[in-house]
Amino acid sequence: MSELVKQIERWLVANEEVMSASCSLRDGLAGMILVYFKLHVITHDPRYKASGLMMLDQLSEQVAAVERADFRDGMAGIGWLIEWLAQNKHIEADTNELLADMDDELYKSVLYNVHPSNASIGQFTGRGLYFYRRLLSKNKNSSRYRMLCLRECLTLMTDGICDQLPILVKKMISCAHPHRMDEAESVSMGLIFLSLTKNSKLNANECKNIICETLNELSKYLLSKPVENCCSSADLVLIRAYYRSGILLNDARTITRARDMANMLQDLNRPLTERLMLAELRPETDAFKANDMEASVRWTLPDVLNILRNTYKKQSLPTDEEIFI
């Protein structure tokens, strides 16, 4: 077992008491379960699967108290996790039965609480990721009605993103001052989500047009900046989204252009989160430094997932949805 895996295990144990108080995928039980099962896949150590299953039991006892519907901290993320576990054969379950109540709750939240005129891209993508993963389910004898409802919800989420993303991109680029990180993250989430769901053939033509428009606008914006000014955290988030879109679309030109943009970034003394992003774009970059192990007390759960993805590649069963955690 590598020293890195041992350090991640120590990190999980050290944070278990605090994180167990939440069901969150970003910094709670659901996120820890995801990490434990990934460690099991990497090491084949049954202790990690046992820990993940024990926490899954704990999560099932607490999930009724979850009121939020979003992906990082609410029902959508918890449901996504359960579907991911079943699809990867970590648990045996008919998710149409197991997630029936959650399907209904999120369906109602889409119909009554998420409207294109007042919802954010984060709300659209969060619920959309749940419906996207559910539509990939491998249950036998799936209800046609249920599948239609899931597709309807995913369609509504892509509609909302297609309406809002061009407006947000233009607003971000036209600002005289450097754009805020929250705007860059919203643009990133919208672009990656549309690229991820493009093969579902929902709103196919509109999604394709919005993706192409967004990539063109981002390319013009980022390539027009002086090299010395292209170094912000927000720039890195946008370039990583550009790259991920190219990967999802299997577009070699977009991937190459993203890597060219990444080479413009100044190698400042960046935090671990940003170094892991750069390593994805520039494989020759040494993302993980010796003192990162010593500073593991400052790791976040998304950092741990990115460390596993960066170090173990496909062995860690990475998913495109993890970027939203």
Side-chain angles (χ1 to χ4, degrees), residues 121 150 295 306:
I121 284 182
L150 293 172
N306 281 322

Side-chain angles (χ1 to χ4, degrees), residues 9 29 31-32 40-41 46 54 68 79 84 89 105 111-112 123 143 146-147 178 188 194 202 211 272 316:
E9 180 182 356
L29 275 171
M32 286 194 294
H40 171 65
V41 171
M54 181 181 67
R68 298 180 62 164
W84 180 87
K89 298 181 169 55
E105 286 299 316
L111 293 184
Y112 303 119
Q123 288 176 301
S143 161
R146 184 170 297 280
M147 292 299 107
S188 170
L194 292 182
L202 302 175
I211 291 168
L272 175 62
S316 67

Side-chain angles (χ1 to χ4, degrees), residues 182-224:
D182 58 347
E183 291 177 341
E185 287 184 339
S186 291
V187 169
S188 170
M189 287 191 292
L191 174 60
I192 294 172
F193 183 85
L194 292 182
S195 303
L196 175 67
T197 58
K198 181 175 177 290
N199 289 335
S200 63
K201 296 182 172 57
L202 302 175
N203 301 343
N205 289 333
E206 185 177 13
C207 286
K208 180 181 178 181
N209 291 337
I210 297 299
I211 291 168
C212 290
E213 180 183 332
T214 303
L215 289 172
N216 287 335
E217 291 294 328
L218 289 181
S219 178
K220 286 190 292 185
Y221 168 70
L222 291 164
L223 291 173
S224 69

Side-chain angles (χ1 to χ4, degrees), residues 32-256:
M32 286 194 294
I33 291 167
L34 180 60
V35 173
Y36 270 121
F37 276 100
K38 284 179 174 289
L39 291 180
H40 171 65
V41 171
I42 292 165
T43 66
H44 305 291
D45 188 331
R47 293 182 304 118
Y48 295 132
K49 183 173 183 178
S51 295
L53 290 172
M54 181 181 67
M55 288 188 171
L56 189 58
D57 287 340
Q58 188 177 346
L59 178 64
S60 67
E61 294 173 0
Q62 296 178 207
V63 71
V66 175
E67 296 180 351
R68 298 180 62 164
D70 61 299
F71 185 71
R72 289 176 172 173
D73 300 305
M75 284 188 292
I78 296 167
W80 174 90
L81 170 70
I82 293 168
E83 187 64 69
W84 180 87
L85 290 171
Q87 289 177 21
N88 286 283
K89 298 181 169 55
H90 294 306
I91 60 173
E92 292 185 14
D94 182 330
T95 52
N96 284 339
E97 292 183 7
L98 192 60
L99 297 174
D101 290 342
M102 201 170 287
D103 285 348
D104 295 341
E105 286 299 316
L106 288 169
Y107 180 76
K108 286 188 287 187
S109 81
V110 165
L111 293 184
Y112 303 119
N113 300 329
V114 181
H115 190 274
S117 64
N118 59 21
S120 66
I121 284 182
Q123 288 176 301
F124 290 128
T125 58
R127 290 162 174 80
L129 289 167
Y130 172 82
F131 299 122
Y132 168 76
R133 179 57 63 173
R134 286 285 289 118
L135 284 166
L136 297 176
S137 65
K138 301 173 183 178
N139 301 302
K140 295 180 180 178
N141 304 317
S142 293
S143 161
R144 183 171 178 272
Y145 172 74
R146 184 170 297 280
M147 292 299 107
L148 284 172
C149 289
L150 293 172
R151 288 179 66 84
E152 177 189 3
C153 289
L154 184 56
T155 300
L156 290 170
M157 298 301 93
T158 56
D159 278 345
I161 294 170
C162 286
D163 287 345
Q164 289 199 12
L165 187 56
I167 298 170
L168 184 57
V169 170
K170 285 183 172 60
K171 175 186 174 185
M172 183 183 72
I173 290 175
S174 65
C175 287
H177 56 80
H179 48 266
R180 300 191 306 268
M181 177 59 87
D182 58 347
E183 291 177 341
E185 287 184 339
S186 291
V187 169
S188 170
M189 287 191 292
L191 174 60
I192 294 172
F193 183 85
L194 292 182
S195 303
L196 175 67
T197 58
K198 181 175 177 290
N199 289 335
S200 63
K201 296 182 172 57
L202 302 175
N203 301 343
N205 289 333
E206 185 177 13
C207 286
K208 180 181 178 181
N209 291 337
I210 297 299
I211 291 168
C212 290
E213 180 183 332
T214 303
L215 289 172
N216 287 335
E217 291 294 328
L218 289 181
S219 178
K220 286 190 292 185
Y221 168 70
L222 291 164
L223 291 173
S224 69
K225 297 184 73 173
V227 172
E228 62 273 15
N229 292 340
C230 191
C231 60
S232 73
S233 300
D235 289 333
L236 179 53
V237 166
L238 293 172
I239 294 171
R240 199 255 304 256
Y242 196 101
Y243 173 77
R244 283 284 183 96
S245 179
I247 294 289
L248 291 165
L249 300 173
N250 196 27
D251 185 339
R253 183 183 176 197
T254 298
I255 295 168
T256 300

